[in-house]
């Protein structure tokens, strides 16, 4: 079971901005993943772990991104201790910028 710091628990349910590398999940959807690391090292492919990836549910249809685009998004942080989903989730997300 994940153990979240007091700082993370304080942010649960609040608006946060995060930056990470875009990873597609479903075509023509509002859902993607954002990773701390580029695609070659993210959770499913290499040196990453479940703590390095976040599932993002956009409030509206998301923009077209390329794999590994470094993007910044803002949304409501939702922490989960369920093994049926990722532990870091961003709900009602909006695109902020690409780098």
């Amino acid at each position: 079971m994940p153990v979240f710091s007091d700082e993370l628990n304080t942010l649960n349910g609040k608006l946060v901005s995060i930056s990470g590398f875009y990873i597609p999940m479903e075509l023509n959807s509002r859902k993607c993943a954002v990773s701390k690391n580029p695609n070659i090292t993210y959770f499913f492919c290499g040196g990453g772990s479940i703590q390095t990836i976040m599932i993002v549910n956009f409030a509206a249809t998301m923009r077209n991104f390329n794999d590994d685009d470094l993007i910044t998004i803002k949304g409501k942080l939702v922490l989960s201790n369920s093994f049926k989903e990722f532990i870091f989730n961003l709900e009602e997300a909006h695109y902020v910028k690409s780098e």
Side-chain angles (χ1 to χ4, degrees):
M1 298 295 283
V3 177
F4 301 111
S5 69
D6 290 341
E7 182 180 11
L8 272 176
N9 279 319
T10 300
L11 294 173
N12 193 25
K14 302 233 167 87
L15 285 178
V16 298
S17 292
I18 62 117
S19 295
F21 294 94
Y22 167 78
I23 299 168
M25 292 191 62
E26 300 171 10
L27 292 177
N28 302 319
S29 78
R30 294 181 180 182
K31 181 185 275 190
C32 73
V34 174
S35 175
K36 174 184 172 187
N37 303 309
N39 196 12
I40 194 70
T41 60
Y42 83 102
F43 175 62
F44 296 109
C45 294
S49 66
I50 198 163
Q51 297 92 337
T52 65
I53 195 166
M54 174 180 277
I55 298 301
V56 178
N57 289 298
F58 282 88
T61 303
M62 66 181 169
R63 293 178 54 164
N64 290 328
F65 302 110
N66 294 315
D67 291 7
D68 279 344
D69 277 354
L70 183 57
I71 61 172
T72 301
I73 50 181
K74 187 175 195 173
K76 181 174 68 171
L77 177 65
V78 177
L79 303 175
S80 174
N81 58 8
S82 169
F83 288 108
K84 295 180 182 179
E85 53 194 43
F86 284 83
I87 59 175
F88 297 112
N89 301 278
L90 202 63
E91 301 292 334
E92 303 168 24
H94 297 276
Y95 168 78
V96 176
K97 68 177 179 173
S98 296
E99 297 178 28

